[in-house]
Amino acid sequence: MAGKYIIGSIVGSFAIAYVCDTVISDGKLFGGTTPSTVTNTLWRKETDKKFQAWPRTAGPPVVMNPISRQNYIVKSSLD
């Protein structure tokens, strides 16, 4: 009997969280705009090109992702 109330409450809380997230982030409730660096694909390509050409002095070549700040080791096609 209590299970249906618990599951209903969980589903309801997820629905409320989704609506709040959509209104605040997508609807720009507190103002602001989406930066052009996020929407511009040319910027992303040039940034990737810059990081690929970035000189490294030690270690294996690495692809840098400026959005998540994670480094990925690049394997050459000969390996």
Side-chain angles (χ1 to χ4, degrees):
M1 175 100 176
K4 67 179 180 180
Y5 294 115
I6 293 172
I7 292 173
S9 299
I10 291 172
V11 170
S13 65
F14 277 112
I16 291 170
Y18 175 77
V19 168
C20 290
D21 179 58
T22 304
V23 168
I24 291 172
S25 62
D26 295 341
K28 305 287 184 204
L29 181 66
F30 297 113
T33 58
T34 303
S36 65
T37 55
V38 173
T39 58
N40 188 353
T41 58
L42 292 175
W43 179 88
R44 186 180 307 123
K45 289 177 186 176
E46 288 298 321
T47 303
D48 288 339
K49 192 185 310 180
K50 175 187 147 194
F51 280 128
Q52 291 298 325
W54 186 40
R56 294 187 49 87
T57 57
V62 171
V63 175
M64 293 183 64
N65 185 347
I67 303 299
S68 64
R69 300 285 187 214
Q70 295 177 355
N71 296 331
Y72 300 98
I73 295 176
V74 177
K75 302 284 185 181
S76 68
S77 60
L78 299 175
D79 289 343

